[in-house]
């Protein structure tokens, strides 16, 4: 099997999340492909009611998201419940100056058959914690962030 391009890996990660969100009546994905926006990949729209009216009157919130896709050739991250993974300090600074982000790490087997999704809620106070930790450790580029496996039920 030939190696996938970064854009193809990102596309697969976005599709995995879009499929989960599309099965939920009160959520809608608005993801950008090819890194159109710095430090985030789009939004998840949350609606108050699941009555089929996804309109302005029914909007509850618009949550920013960052999505990173990875091929896990050695299957290090598949079948884990929690992971630590590096996140860019520059990105954390952006999230800390805004309202934060839901950060997803999507790991796939080389053939794409197996996938695991991990997430963390990076709200400003949590971002501050990681930035302070990075500063104490002398990290200039990345800091390891804790992620939890996303568990979902098939509909």
């Amino acid at each position: 099997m030939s190696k996938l391009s970064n854009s193809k890996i990102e596309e697969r990660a976005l599709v995995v999340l879009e499929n989960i969100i599309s099965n939920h009546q009160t959520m809608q994905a608005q993801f950008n492909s090819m890194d159109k926006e710095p430090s985030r990949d789009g939004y998840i729209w949350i609606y108050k009611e699941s009555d089929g009216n996804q309109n302005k009157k029914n909007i509850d919130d618009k949550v920013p998201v960052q999505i990173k896709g990875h091929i896990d050739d050695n299957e290090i991250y598949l079948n884990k419940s929690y992971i630590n993974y590096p996140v860019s300090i520059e990105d954390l600074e952006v999230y800390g100056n805004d309202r934060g982000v839901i950060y997803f790490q999507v790991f796939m087997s080389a053939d794409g058959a197996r996938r695991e999704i991990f997430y963390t809620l990076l709200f400003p106070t949590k971002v501050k914690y990681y930035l302070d930790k990075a500063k104490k450790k002398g990290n200039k580029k990345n800091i390891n962030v804790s992620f939890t496996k996303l568990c979902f039920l098939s509909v």
Side-chain angles (χ1 to χ4, degrees), residues 3-147:
K3 186 175 177 177
L4 292 174
S5 69
N6 287 341
S7 61
K8 192 56 142 174
I9 294 168
E10 177 189 351
E11 177 186 326
R12 286 184 178 183
L14 294 176
V15 167
V16 167
L17 281 170
E18 285 172 340
N19 286 337
I20 292 168
I21 292 166
S22 72
N23 285 327
H24 198 288
Q25 294 298 320
T26 60
M27 291 194 279
Q28 185 173 354
Q30 180 188 357
F31 299 151
N32 304 313
S33 60
M34 305 296 194
D35 289 325
K36 301 276 191 255
E37 191 176 340
S39 300
R40 58 181 59 89
D41 290 312
Y43 300 90
I44 298 174
W45 290 85
I46 311 292
Y47 295 92
K48 297 173 193 168
E49 303 292 330
S50 60
D51 60 5
N53 291 318
Q54 292 182 334
N55 57 36
K56 293 178 196 175
K57 290 180 184 177
N58 198 17
I59 292 174
D60 193 25
D61 204 353
K62 176 175 114 173
V63 182
V65 297
Q66 175 67 41
I67 304 160
K68 297 288 186 183
H70 313 275
I71 298 298
D72 189 8
D73 288 324
N74 298 322
E75 299 191 6
I76 296 168
Y77 299 100
L78 298 174
N79 295 320
K80 300 266 178 147
S81 296
Y82 302 93
I83 65 167
N84 287 311
Y85 206 81
V87 173
S88 160
I89 289 172
E90 285 182 348
D91 284 341
L92 288 173
E93 288 170 343
V94 171
Y95 308 144
N97 290 328
D98 200 358
R99 62 185 281 204
V101 70
I102 302 176
Y103 201 117
F104 294 96
Q105 300 281 2
V106 181
F107 292 91
M108 297 163 266
S109 58
D111 63 2
R114 297 183 58 220
R115 301 176 197 119
E116 296 287 2
I117 302 167
F118 296 89
Y119 74 96
T120 192
L121 306 176
L122 290 175
F123 42 88
T125 54
K126 192 171 181 182
V127 169
K128 183 180 180 329
Y129 163 80
Y130 282 115
L131 290 173
D132 289 347
K133 186 176 174 182
K135 187 175 182 179
K136 285 179 187 173
K137 289 184 163 196
N139 295 16
K140 303 274 187 225
K141 190 168 180 153
N142 297 311
I143 184 78
N144 280 337
V145 171
S146 298
F147 290 83

